[in-house]
Amino acid sequence: MPRIPLLPPQASNFAQSFDELFYVLLLLSVFFAGLVFSLILFFALRYRRGSRYNRRMGHRGQLALEITWSVIPLVIGLTIFFYAARPYAMLYGNAPSDAMEVFVIGKQWMWHFQHPDGVRENNELHLPAGKAVKLTLISQDVIHSFYVPAFRVHRDVVPGRFTTVWFVPRIPGQYHLLCSQYCGTEHSRMTGTVTVMEPAAYQTWLASGGQREQVTRRSMVQAGEALFDRFACVSCHGFAPARAPSLVDLYGRAEMLESGRTVLADHDYVRTSILEPDKQVVKGYQPIMPSFKGQFTEEEVLELIAFIKSLHTGDGVAGPPTGATMPSVPASEAPRPTRTGTRP
Amino acid sequence: MAQPDERTNYLNWSHTVKSWLLTTDHKRIAILYMVSITVMFALGGLAAAVIRMALVVPQDTLIRHETYNKMFSMHGVIMVFLFLVPSIPAVLGNFLLPLMVGARDLAFPRLNLLSWYLYIIGGLCVVGAMLAGGVDTGWTFYTPYSSIYSNSHVTLTIVGVFIAGFSSIATGINFIVTTHKMRAPGLTWFRLPLFVWSLYATSIIFVLGTPVVAITLALVVAERVVHLGVFDPALGGDPILFQHLFWFYSHPAVYIMVLPSMGVVSELVPCFSRKRAFGYPFIAFSSLAIAVLGFLVWGHHMFVSGQAVWTGMVFSFLSFLIAVPSAIKVFNWTATMYKGRIWFTAPMLYALGFIGLFTVGGLTGLFLAALTVDVHVHDTYFVIAHFHYIMVGGAIMGYMGGIHFWWPKMTGRLYPEGWAKLAAGITFIGFNLTFFPQFLLGLQGMPRRYHWYPPEWQSLNVLSSAGASILAVGYAIPLTYLIWSLWYGAKAGKNPWGAVGLEWTTTSPPPTHNFPRTPVVTWEAYDYRDEEPPTEEEREPVSVPAGGER
């Protein structure tokens, strides 16, 4: 008989807090189920038909008893609720600022990973132990779900919007990576392996170019820059007078829209602006940008986002790409019509 | 005091096919439902058998992925929409509600017949879609897979579910109006059998929830056919919106499946304990509380979907609240047995089995309501095991218990008690052997709807499949002896269990109009005295005392 452990190894920082709560619930369940079952068994035997026990009839229910056995489950339930809510908020909340970001694209039926430095992997994800990892996930077709049981980490991968999750892999080893949301014919084959390595081994692996078949020599930022050039985005974004808002320092900023709403310029905002530019027009600009829907894959959108995210004033990479076909003016120097005070 | 029409009853007053197919008698419609629902159960069970056989090996040696996906979809669609949802309400509810409230029929007899036809048309569409090549979306029809990507017969299947939904709505309206307007003189709300309360709560969900799922599925069809773009992100839609709309019905639907069972158990436990139901008003109101709270917890199906963290917390909070009325019921049933005079009949065994399975299912629900634990076991076999304990364990044990309890009333024949007890035991063991290993599989991380799986999970899968074959035996035995009993079972008296309740005051099987004259109720519900249950001889009609009405 093979050993059947109850839960997989605790291979991430979240595993322990999940497991503790699980075992508390297990104990509670065993206690209450045991209580109910033994009472039923005891009554069934003691008060069975024909037994000699002298029964006194007539009680119809007592308010105190009913209140007691309503309040106890309520209190226990709410206590568990509070204990469960905190790690949940952490898991799906903001990752630590030094977290390493990996982009995940789900497609029928494979997992595609993009490391910022250009390493790409399919169905295999290599991570260093002890370092926080932030995953940004999107699907290019149906809903998938990224699931690593050993990490107790689970996140749906939805088309049309980014979801995120972060964790710290702890123990080097190989773990199942599964798709848990039914996604079509080969759903159960949409599996892979997460390999957690000692940091040194990870560096070696990275230096050797990572996985064999999927190496680009360009980082995601460089790949995004190349796309930016190829599609001549600079011809609108970054000239004076600018036909479109500057992209320098855009990422993370609050953008005032024509509609009067303010949106945070995050992954979703940038992606929407590329694919459906009419949806969220920045205040003071005309909706003249064409849609790039169908021209970029989700991978390329992520590269563009990475590039835009890298555009900061004063850190060397600022301004439109130098390889542009037209002479460029640093966007930070371009006038910014009608927009004031939106810089953080 | 033999009644003049003693020998004519709803079964034998006419034998023509037309008299069955055009009947407006709630009892005949119940029988029509029972036959058609049994066929659906067999089809859904067949698909389950194929699934469990395929999962004995981790590779796809027996059937291909596509076939596997179609099998679990067929299993889910048929079992949920065409068996579990209508089972107890449409069969036992239809048969018993007028009898229990002392009425001649339901409020709208023709609407009742229409609801059966809608069920049949819906069922034919679904089965037709299966025969035409099947559907591979699972019973949840998640978009955009169902709306854009699936190349199977999604539209026809959805049309079937849509039509069957109207059957539910019609039944719900009929039950609500009947309970309000057709109660016999003296039958106040707090003298109603608890089964009627549970049907009432179920009907509220039918009427409020079913239209939402109908519209949602209609939108999926519109998306497939005319590319409406409500759910497709490529057209500006939101794929998660579907899940909100779908679960707004489908979570309460879980309570559609288990509330009537709770009602049945609330009848069986007092009868076979010869005791009043402990805490009657608490059991009654907990049904309503479950129906209402059931509408507020749908978001717990989306804890990992990307919905806002705060949304997840609100739904988790509300989900814990629903544990309270469920716990109230379990404690009250247990307390009802205290100082009772417990009579171990097959229905009582099913009722006790129900309490056991429901307790396990309910407690594991707490794991899923707890946010972080759900994150780990979401969409795994833990969830499969949990909802099978609630929906299937709950619904089947209640349905079988109820069928056995009222079988003498429905058919006028007694079933063989020994065989029935054996079947109840086999079902209980088979059920646990099938689904308990699935909790362990889920904790290990095995996702649902997996055809191929890592080999280390094989032993638990083999165990589960072995359990499924035992469970199949547990279902096959009653099917055999119940049919047998129609011809060879001992004739049942009016009241073979010595039970209280209006349905036991009329003949078995009841005459077409249920009661020779409208009964007047002067006693409280579950007015069991401290008395031994009837002896073997008393269960058969010869020794039923004349004028056995209370």
Side-chain angles (χ1 to χ4, degrees), chain A residues 172-216:
Chain A
Q174 293 203 317
Y175 306 102
H176 287 303
L177 160 66
L178 307 163
C179 172
S180 74
Q181 183 64 268
Y182 176 69
C183 59
T185 312
E186 300 280 334
H187 165 57
S188 65
R189 291 280 194 191
M190 191 169 160
T191 57
T193 313
V194 179
T195 307
V196 178
M197 309 168 91
E198 297 289 359
Y202 177 75
Q203 287 308 325
T204 316
W205 174 84
L206 209 58
S208 74
Q211 212 182 343
R212 284 74 42 200
E213 74 269 29
Q214 291 269 342
V215 192
T216 60

Side-chain angles (χ1 to χ4, degrees), chain B residues 184-484:
Chain B
L187 189 59
T188 60
W189 280 88
F190 288 99
R191 284 177 176 174
L192 283 175
L194 289 163
F195 183 53
V196 176
W197 276 98
S198 76
L199 287 177
Y200 186 79
T202 308
S203 302
I204 292 174
I205 305 175
F206 272 150
V207 175
L208 295 182
T210 318
V212 179
V213 80
I215 291 166
T216 311
L217 294 178
L219 286 173
V220 172
V221 170
E223 189 125 335
R224 280 185 80 80
V225 178
V226 298
H227 309 292
L228 193 64
V230 180
F231 304 127
D232 179 12
L235 299 170
D238 180 0
I240 305 289
L241 174 65
F242 173 86
Q243 298 179 21
H244 281 287
L245 292 169
F246 180 81
W247 290 113
F248 181 79
Y249 161 80
S250 296
H251 193 79
V254 171
Y255 301 111
I256 292 180
M257 303 172 211
V258 75
L259 271 170
S261 260
M262 294 171 157
V264 169
V265 170
S266 304
E267 298 296 307
L268 301 185
V269 172
C271 174
F272 294 112
S273 304
R274 323 311 289 177
K275 279 273 309 284
R276 284 176 195 282
F278 187 89
Y280 172 102
F282 290 90
I283 302 182
F285 280 120
S286 64
S287 288
L288 295 183
I290 288 172
V292 172
L293 282 174
F295 278 107
L296 303 177
V297 300
W298 77 87
H300 70 211
H301 294 264
M302 283 171 272
F303 285 160
V304 309
S305 72
Q307 75 181 358
V309 168
W310 283 106
T311 317
M313 288 190 186
V314 169
F315 281 118
S316 167
F317 179 83
L318 292 166
S319 303
F320 276 108
L321 295 187
I322 213 161
V324 174
S326 311
I328 288 176
K329 282 187 188 282
V330 170
F331 292 140
N332 275 294
W333 293 322
T334 309
T336 302
M337 292 172 66
Y338 176 67
K339 288 195 174 180
R341 202 172 283 278
I342 295 155
W343 182 15
F344 291 103
T345 60
M348 184 64 171
L349 293 185
Y350 277 114
L352 295 180
F354 171 91
I355 299 175
L357 300 184
F358 178 73
T359 304
V360 174
L363 286 168
T364 50
L366 296 179
F367 291 70
L368 298 173
L371 290 158
T372 47
V373 179
D374 178 75
V375 168
H376 175 47
V377 292
H378 189 91
D379 270 338
T380 67
Y381 266 76
F382 191 91
V383 177
I384 305 292
H386 158 73
F387 78 69
H388 277 82
Y389 265 84
I390 295 276
M391 283 158 50
V392 184
I396 294 276
M397 294 310 248
Y399 183 63
M400 294 303 284
I403 289 282
H404 282 82
F405 184 54
W406 284 293
W407 190 256
K409 182 55 62 187
M410 298 173 90
T411 64
R413 301 278 184 167
L414 296 173
Y415 61 84
E417 191 63 46
W419 281 102
K421 283 184 192 169
L422 180 72
I426 290 177
T427 307
F428 186 76
I429 292 166
F431 187 91
N432 281 296
L433 199 55
T434 308
F435 294 106
F436 201 82
Q438 298 187 5
F439 282 124
L440 305 177
L441 279 173
L443 292 172
Q444 302 281 296
M446 178 163 167
R448 66 193 295 194
R449 297 166 170 180
Y450 259 33
H451 178 210
W452 173 93
Y453 57 86
E456 66 256 35
W457 294 332
Q458 189 178 11
S459 46
L460 286 168
N461 271 298
V462 170
L463 202 59
S464 177
S465 298
S469 46
I470 296 177
L471 191 56
V473 175
Y475 294 147
I477 298 175
L479 190 67
T480 315
Y481 67 70
L482 286 178
I483 294 173
W484 173 89

Side-chain angles (χ1 to χ4, degrees), chain A residues 1-2 4-8 17-19 21-23 25-26 28-30 32-33 35-37 39-41 43-45 47-51 53-63 65-67 69-71 73-74 76-78 80-89 91-93 108-109 140-143 145 147-150 152-161 163 176-191 276 279 293, chain B residues 60 64-66 69 72-73 136-138 142-145 149 233-236 238-240 243 274-280 282 302-309 312-314 316-317 320-321 323-324 327-328 330-332 334-335 337-344 352 355-357 359-360 363-364 366-367 370-380 382 440 442-452 454 456-457 459-460 524 528-530 532-536:
Chain A
M1 188 74 188
I4 302 171
L6 215 47
L7 289 164
S17 62
F18 284 34
D19 292 2
L21 190 65
F22 168 80
Y23 286 115
L25 274 165
L26 189 65
L28 276 171
S29 301
V30 169
F32 277 103
L35 182 74
V36 169
F37 295 163
L39 276 177
I40 287 180
L41 263 176
F43 292 164
L45 294 178
Y47 303 116
R48 71 185 181 279
R49 174 192 185 190
S51 76
Y53 191 81
N54 185 23
R55 297 154 178 90
R56 183 183 47 80
M57 294 296 291
H59 74 136
R60 282 168 168 223
Q62 292 149 356
L63 192 62
L65 201 53
E66 297 281 356
I67 290 173
W69 67 40
S70 311
V71 169
L74 184 68
I76 291 176
L78 295 187
I80 297 167
F81 161 74
F82 282 110
Y83 273 99
R86 227 168 44 134
Y88 176 80
L91 179 67
Y92 293 150
Q108 288 175 323
W109 291 276
Q140 77 170 36
D141 38 53
V142 302
I143 300 175
S145 193
Y147 179 33
V148 182
R152 317 287 187 271
V153 164
H154 212 146
R155 192 53 147 170
D156 277 2
V157 183
V158 182
R161 71 161 78 159
T163 54
H176 287 303
L177 160 66
L178 307 163
C179 172
S180 74
Q181 183 64 268
Y182 176 69
C183 59
T185 312
E186 300 280 334
H187 165 57
S188 65
R189 291 280 194 191
M190 191 169 160
T191 57
E276 295 166 90
K279 245 188 170 171
K293 188 178 273 184
Chain B
D60 43 358
R64 301 194 48 76
H65 279 71
E66 265 175 315
N69 296 340
F72 76 66
S73 302
D136 71 345
T137 59
Y142 269 22
T143 56
Y145 186 70
Y149 289 86
L235 299 170
D238 180 0
I240 305 289
Q243 298 179 21
R274 323 311 289 177
K275 279 273 309 284
R276 284 176 195 282
F278 187 89
Y280 172 102
F282 290 90
M302 283 171 272
F303 285 160
V304 309
S305 72
Q307 75 181 358
V309 168
M313 288 190 186
V314 169
S316 167
F317 179 83
F320 276 108
L321 295 187
V324 174
I328 288 176
V330 170
F331 292 140
N332 275 294
T334 309
M337 292 172 66
Y338 176 67
K339 288 195 174 180
R341 202 172 283 278
I342 295 155
W343 182 15
F344 291 103
L352 295 180
I355 299 175
L357 300 184
T359 304
V360 174
L363 286 168
T364 50
L366 296 179
F367 291 70
L371 290 158
T372 47
V373 179
D374 178 75
V375 168
H376 175 47
V377 292
H378 189 91
D379 270 338
T380 67
F382 191 91
L440 305 177
L443 292 172
Q444 302 281 296
M446 178 163 167
R448 66 193 295 194
R449 297 166 170 180
Y450 259 33
H451 178 210
W452 173 93
E456 66 256 35
W457 294 332
S459 46
L460 286 168
E524 301 298 317
Y528 289 103
R529 308 281 155 73
D530 183 13
E532 285 289 339
T535 58
E536 290 296 327

Side-chain angles (χ1 to χ4, degrees), chain A residues 35-342:
Chain A
L35 182 74
V36 169
F37 295 163
S38 42
L39 276 177
I40 287 180
L41 263 176
F42 177 70
F43 292 164
L45 294 178
R46 182 161 205 193
Y47 303 116
R48 71 185 181 279
R49 174 192 185 190
S51 76
R52 299 258 177 95
Y53 191 81
N54 185 23
R55 297 154 178 90
R56 183 183 47 80
M57 294 296 291
H59 74 136
R60 282 168 168 223
Q62 292 149 356
L63 192 62
L65 201 53
E66 297 281 356
I67 290 173
T68 311
W69 67 40
S70 311
V71 169
I72 290 175
L74 184 68
V75 170
I76 291 176
L78 295 187
T79 312
I80 297 167
F81 161 74
F82 282 110
Y83 273 99
R86 227 168 44 134
Y88 176 80
M90 249 167 84
L91 179 67
Y92 293 150
N94 290 329
S97 53
D98 64 338
M100 157 184 152
E101 193 166 21
V102 177
F103 299 92
V104 183
I105 295 166
K107 29 181 130 173
Q108 288 175 323
W109 291 276
M110 62 175 279
W111 292 106
H112 179 76
F113 300 97
Q114 286 177 279
H115 296 261
D117 58 13
V119 173
R120 289 154 181 252
E121 310 183 67
N122 285 334
N123 295 335
E124 276 189 56
L125 174 60
H126 288 75
L127 297 172
K131 182 152 177 59
V133 183
K134 178 191 177 189
L135 300 183
T136 297
L137 316 101
I138 195 163
S139 162
Q140 77 170 36
D141 38 53
V142 302
I143 300 175
H144 304 278
S145 193
F146 179 92
Y147 179 33
V148 182
F151 294 169
R152 317 287 187 271
V153 164
H154 212 146
R155 192 53 147 170
D156 277 2
V157 183
V158 182
R161 71 161 78 159
F162 292 99
T163 54
T164 63
V165 65
W166 75 273
F167 53 91
V168 184
R170 284 203 323 196
I171 308 168
Q174 293 203 317
Y175 306 102
H176 287 303
L177 160 66
L178 307 163
C179 172
S180 74
Q181 183 64 268
Y182 176 69
C183 59
T185 312
E186 300 280 334
H187 165 57
S188 65
R189 291 280 194 191
M190 191 169 160
T191 57
T193 313
V194 179
T195 307
V196 178
M197 309 168 91
E198 297 289 359
Y202 177 75
Q203 287 308 325
T204 316
W205 174 84
L206 209 58
S208 74
Q211 212 182 343
R212 284 74 42 200
E213 74 269 29
Q214 291 269 342
V215 192
T216 60
R217 265 168 293 280
R218 296 179 303 186
S219 71
M220 282 184 72
V221 173
Q222 288 165 336
E225 181 173 355
L227 284 168
F228 202 83
D229 284 353
R230 185 143 62 85
F231 285 83
C233 308
V234 73
S235 59
C236 294
H237 290 282
F239 270 98
R243 279 188 280 171
S246 161
L247 302 179
V248 176
D249 287 335
L250 168 76
Y251 192 89
R253 185 168 69 195
E255 283 285 88
M256 176 79 85
L257 302 182
E258 270 297 309
S259 62
R261 276 194 316 126
T262 306
V263 294
L264 180 72
D266 58 2
H267 277 45
D268 274 313
Y269 169 77
V270 177
R271 182 180 177 277
T272 310
S273 301
I274 295 170
L275 302 180
E276 295 166 90
D278 292 352
K279 245 188 170 171
Q280 295 172 318
V281 180
V282 177
K283 194 163 181 62
Y285 293 93
Q286 295 299 311
I288 50 171
M289 176 165 159
S291 164
F292 288 88
K293 188 178 273 184
Q295 304 193 48
F296 294 122
T297 62
E298 293 294 351
E299 285 95 320
E300 289 169 333
V301 171
L302 282 169
E303 286 160 0
L304 279 167
I305 293 172
F307 171 64
I308 289 167
K309 199 177 171 184
S310 74
L311 297 174
H312 292 296
T313 39
D315 64 359
V317 286
T322 46
T325 47
M326 284 179 263
S328 58
V329 179
S332 52
E333 290 164 23
R336 303 182 139 178
T338 73
R339 183 159 11 88
T340 50
T342 51

